[in-house]
Amino acid sequence: MTTLSSLSKTKRQENVRTVGRQFQSIVITISITAFLFGGIVWRLAYLQLEQGEINQAKAEDNRIRLVPKPPVRANIFDRKGKVLATTRLSHSAYVWPKAQKQGNWSQIKQILAQILNLPPEEIQQKVEQAGFNYPSLIPIARSLTPTQITAIEEYRPQLKWVEVDIDRVRYYPNGKTAAHVLGYTGEINQEELNAKKKDGYRLGDVIGKMGVEESFESKLRGAWGGLKLEVDGSGKVLRFLGEKPPKSGKDITLTIDLEVQKAAETALGKQKGAIIALDPNNGAVIAIASYPSFDPNIFSTRITPEIWQQLQSQGNPFLNMALRGFPPASTFKVVTDTAGMESGKFPPQTVLGTYAGINIGGTYFREWNHAGFGSMGYVGALSWSSNTFHAQIGRGVGGEALIKWARNYGYGQKTGIELQGETAGLIADDAWKRLNFNDWGWTVGDTVNMSIGQGFTLATPVQVAVMFSAIANGGYRVQPHLLETDNQTKQAQRINLNLKPSTISTLRNGLRAVVTSGTGTRLNVPEIPSAAGKSGTAEAPPGESHAWFGAYAPFDQPEIVVVAFAEHSGGGGGSVAGPMVRQVMEVYFKRKVANK
């Protein structure tokens, strides 16, 4: 039975357990609130103090847009101040990077592809390459037509992430003229961007891809600028925040004479080959023509597979034939005669018999007329380009002497002209032959072949022009150059070959006789001053022969050297390449008289 005292005791115990319970919930609530409030305060402090700059930058990214302004690429002029390359205004289509995150991105891409005649995959590749956080507009297409611009505006509600802006594209007012000298420009690719990013290049940049556009990229390019705009959530511009003006590139003047350049290309016509004209006194390049060629303006728009196929159907129009090596044929006899006279073994007054052919080292070397020319000296042998005369000189001085003087004239090494893709040609020696012919060493037959410009020897038209320049200017090897420089720099580029005066005189007289009475009489015309030169016809199996002719004028005070090369022309140097040289010289001297 429960007593009254036990009930009282139980009641007291219950009262003890419930004391303060009405305050416990309040304490817990306050504690939780304080904890949560502390967390919020800590988070705010962290965001403000620790992450303030980062979050501010993110906010800026959401409301600020950078509209890049590319620099104006500098102009390129010829030596007379005529424009060779400039820029023209055009319109380009751009996409904001965040467009790819929009729900209608697929629709944007399809509409753009249809308007711009681009594969959707190409558009996708460009925006993916830039990335979602790329700070600037992404160029999608350049040189838009009025129809394309109108179409983009008609689809403006669907294309609010697309911009059309005025752009500047490269323009070559003379079309194909001097294409291999000027080169062309194009949008930077990923490999080029990786290499040039450290220099401030960015996605969508246009850079020089060939010729002086590539060689003088740092001068021509300039520096980017841009506009800083504040926009709202819909992309509407709220206010203008600032501008960094783009910095234009520096104009450059080339040594090229536009009218002589046109004459060289006209003379070459559709004959595969090259023509180069130099000032023999300082190496200034007056003209370089190469065929097949191309119009660099086509690269101001997108190159479609159809356009590319059409270009390639011409052969290789981007190959500068003036920088490629070919057998120099009888033009090399200048080197052979130099070696003969400078060695002392065959002084200037040397007279040798010439024959229908000559057996050397078990190989029969034929005279080109199959009869010989009787006894003659250097002047006559150059005039008639005797093979058997020069074979005897070559055999007498030996391969080492020929190789030495070939290299002194600049063969077997790059000339240093400011164009990419120049080859060194080839002046072979014993080590080269052993390496390439299973340790088979140099023979007297190799020497004789070299003496007449055949065998392993390869020379570029530019190198041949440098050789003729050395004879014309009195014995100095010049470095061909395209950029106008001051006279002091030009003189520093001359290397004295230390030729004997008698050697220079004999060579000059021989080259003059080529024009007056030998294989180059097609240059003996009143339209040009007295000229001196040398023809060459190179065997080129299995095709037809190559034709060469190099000349300088006036004979007494030379101011221009012209070398013409015709690949597989099938004719002789005097009959095929000689008239090309004359055409160029006629224009050069006609202009000179007109400008007096």
Side-chain angles (χ1 to χ4, degrees), residues 96-114:
W96 286 104
K98 293 179 182 178
Q100 58 189 308
K101 294 295 183 181
Q102 305 307 307
N104 66 334
W105 168 238
S106 180
Q107 182 187 28
I108 293 173
K109 188 167 55 176
Q110 292 298 328
I111 294 173
L112 277 179
Q114 184 175 1

Side-chain angles (χ1 to χ4, degrees), residues 493-572:
Q493 294 171 325
R494 291 160 54 105
I495 298 174
N496 192 343
L497 300 182
N498 296 311
L499 295 172
K500 299 172 185 176
S502 59
T503 299
I504 296 174
S505 177
T506 303
L507 290 171
R508 286 170 62 88
N509 289 336
L511 296 178
R512 176 62 181 150
V514 169
V515 174
T516 59
S517 58
T519 60
T521 55
R522 291 177 185 245
L523 272 75
N524 196 25
V525 293
E527 288 79 10
I528 63 175
S530 57
K534 183 73 188 74
S535 62
T537 306
E539 296 176 1
E544 296 179 309
S545 59
H546 304 323
W548 288 88
F549 203 96
Y552 60 85
F555 175 68
D556 295 327
Q557 291 183 314
E559 56 186 76
I560 186 171
V561 164
V562 182
V563 170
F565 169 75
E567 184 182 25
H568 297 305
S569 67

Side-chain angles (χ1 to χ4, degrees), residues 379 392 414 467:
V379 173
Q392 293 174 78
K414 295 181 181 181
M467 181 200 70

Side-chain angles (χ1 to χ4, degrees), residues 215-256:
S215 299
F216 301 122
E217 168 70 15
S218 60
K219 288 179 178 290
L220 296 167
R221 177 196 177 212
W224 280 76
L227 301 176
K228 196 174 185 180
L229 306 174
E230 183 179 2
V231 297
D232 61 18
S234 64
K236 181 180 178 181
V237 176
L238 298 177
R239 62 181 175 133
F240 171 76
L241 298 177
E243 178 181 10
K244 178 185 177 183
K247 183 179 179 181
S248 299
K250 295 181 180 179
D251 294 343
I252 63 173
T253 298
L254 301 183
T255 58
I256 294 291

Side-chain angles (χ1 to χ4, degrees), residues 307-330:
I307 293 176
W308 184 254
Q309 185 176 2
Q310 184 180 2
L311 284 169
Q312 294 301 316
S313 66
Q314 305 175 29
N316 188 347
F318 305 106
L319 183 67
N320 190 340
M321 298 285 283
L323 306 180
R324 310 299 295 180
F326 304 93
S330 293

Side-chain angles (χ1 to χ4, degrees), residues 75-85 173-174 182 252-254 256-260 262 591 595:
N75 298 313
I76 303 175
F77 300 98
D78 86 333
R79 60 169 57 194
K80 303 292 186 181
K82 295 183 177 179
V83 177
L84 299 177
N174 303 292
L182 299 173
I252 63 173
T253 298
L254 301 183
I256 294 291
D257 184 312
L258 179 58
E259 298 308 314
V260 179
K262 289 179 179 179
R591 280 173 52 74
N595 290 332

